[in-house]
């Protein structure tokens, strides 16, 4: 998101908003040392883990969406790969070790400047439990997925797409755009899934 | 990359490096207002455009790698989708309008904290030319690709993979990791492509 940058990270002077030479967008530029503070989308990386026909979900112990269910996922860190990030987040949030990690979906969420990369993966063993950012971690049968208690539209969309792919057994890469308007669907149980 | 953040973007006070509560990594945290300055990987989005069995490349008019050849690509901006970013960068760097834009490859480059998303696309017409960040824009036959004059390892890898996929006509999503060591390959013409 475009959080205002009031001061220069390099010299501490005030910034002002200006379109730099050769650029087309307003940037926060230092009024003293001319450092340009670019802001770019962030990647959220995580896992859709299926075990014994059930899907692993975590109930969030943190804001936003405290108490709601989600896939284990979080911000990709510098100097890691997106799959290593997905493995790390799954370990942190669900204390779960995983294998067979393959990229399954790439969803753009332009209104909050995020890109979600979700990997399909399998549990190495049945040892999993709530990490510090989770209230509980549970495997859900398709029929028991808490659709109206999901945290984010992108998670709902990923689960719907996955359950449809499961019918054909054909898990090609999914891409798409999540809009702000889709948030209202979080109150509804999807049909034909 | 992990550029040092010396001053707080919100209040201009000095930062210090500390692992915040509940975190596992060193962050630049404001010593006065406690704002945590996270740094995360950036997405580069661009296009691999084939026309009449030729591939469109741009010769860079900017650093890094001034004078070297690359695919039209650049940093994804806030509030756009990755495909819209690829279309925008292609227009900016090659003055080319494109259609049939489909995600083709996702490469992690952890040592510089970048993720490359390259889309396959087609030219809408034959109107293309060097944008302000390009010295020239040209369609290359496979035999004429300037392998030893390419700007980046990820571009070399994308082109090799694409030309191999072309043999089978099967363009499934490509994923992989680009390491710092692969830079030395930029001096070599690949075999069996």
């Amino acid at each position: 998101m475009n959080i205002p940058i009031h001061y220069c990270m390099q010299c501490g002077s005030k910034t002002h908003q200006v379109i730099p030479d050769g650029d087309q967008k307003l940037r926060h530029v230092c009024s003293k040392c001319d450092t340009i503070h670019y802001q770019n989308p962030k990647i959220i990386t995580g896992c859709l883990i299926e075990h014994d026909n059930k899907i692993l979900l975590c109930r969030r112990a943190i804001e936003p969406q405290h108490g709601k269910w989600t896939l284990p996922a979080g911000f990709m860190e510098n100097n890691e790969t997106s799959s290593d990030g997905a493995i790390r987040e799954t370990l942190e949030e669900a204390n779960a070790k995983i294998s067979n990690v393959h990229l399954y979906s790439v969803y753009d969420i332009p209104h909050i400047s995020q890109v979600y990369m979700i990997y399909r993966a399998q549990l190495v063993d049945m040892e999993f439990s709530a990490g510090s950012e989770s209230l509980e971690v549970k495997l859900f049968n398709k029929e028991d997925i808490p659709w109206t208690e999901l945290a984010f539209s992108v998670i709902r969309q990923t689960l719907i797409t996955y359950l449809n792919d499961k019918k054909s057994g054909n898990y090609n890469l999914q891409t798409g755009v999540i809009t702000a308007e889709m948030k209202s669907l979080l109150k509804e149980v999807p049909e034909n899934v």
Side-chain angles (χ1 to χ4, degrees), chain A:
Chain A
M1 289 202 269
N2 294 301
I3 300 162
I5 297 174
H6 299 299
Y7 295 91
C8 176
M9 298 186 299
Q10 296 303 307
C11 79
S13 302
K14 283 227 168 196
T15 61
H16 58 293
Q17 285 200 64
V18 64
I19 300 175
D21 282 350
D23 203 337
Q24 272 133 38
K25 290 194 73 163
L26 273 178
R27 313 284 180 186
H28 297 274
V29 179
C30 179
S31 51
K32 191 172 167 197
C33 76
D34 294 331
T35 294
I36 304 170
H37 298 74
Y38 296 100
Q39 292 179 291
N40 301 91
K42 288 188 173 25
I43 296 170
I44 315 283
T45 182
C47 286
L48 196 162
I49 298 162
E50 185 171 332
H51 181 85
D52 206 11
N53 268 322
K54 296 175 177 135
I55 292 170
L56 186 132
L57 296 176
C58 303
R59 200 153 74 87
R60 289 172 66 81
I62 52 170
E63 294 296 346
Q65 299 298 93
H66 182 282
K68 298 293 177 71
W69 292 91
T70 188
L71 296 172
F75 288 109
M76 184 176 167
E77 296 279 5
N78 274 0
N79 302 125
E80 71 179 355
T81 65
S82 49
S83 58
D84 283 348
I87 292 166
R88 176 183 53 72
E89 288 289 342
T90 303
L91 191 60
E92 286 175 13
E93 297 185 357
N95 291 314
K97 291 194 192 73
I98 52 175
S99 62
N100 290 337
V101 178
H102 297 289
L103 186 58
Y104 173 61
S105 64
V106 177
Y107 282 108
D108 290 298
I109 318 182
H111 69 282
I112 52 171
S113 298
Q114 292 182 351
V115 175
Y116 260 73
M117 295 174 61
I118 298 294
Y119 286 79
R120 289 175 64 209
Q122 294 181 323
L123 289 174
V124 169
D125 54 40
M126 286 299 287
E127 301 294 315
F128 61 83
S129 59
S132 63
E133 295 182 3
S134 304
L135 296 170
E136 52 181 318
V137 177
K138 218 167 123 178
L139 286 166
F140 285 89
N141 280 314
K142 178 182 144 183
E143 297 72 27
D144 302 324
I145 288 174
W147 291 107
T148 59
E149 294 295 317
L150 292 180
F152 307 114
S153 305
V154 64
I155 301 301
R156 175 188 160 96
Q157 188 60 43
T158 305
L159 290 172
I160 290 173
T161 306
Y162 178 80
L163 291 170
N164 278 322
D165 281 359
K166 195 170 151 68
K167 293 174 192 166
S168 67
N170 197 347
Y171 301 96
N172 286 329
L173 181 87
Q174 300 294 330
T175 60
V177 178
I178 306 294
T179 63
E181 293 70 34
M182 291 167 79
K183 195 171 180 181
S184 63
L185 296 172
L186 286 172
K187 292 176 201 152
E188 297 176 18
V189 177
E191 289 172 27
N192 304 318
V193 171

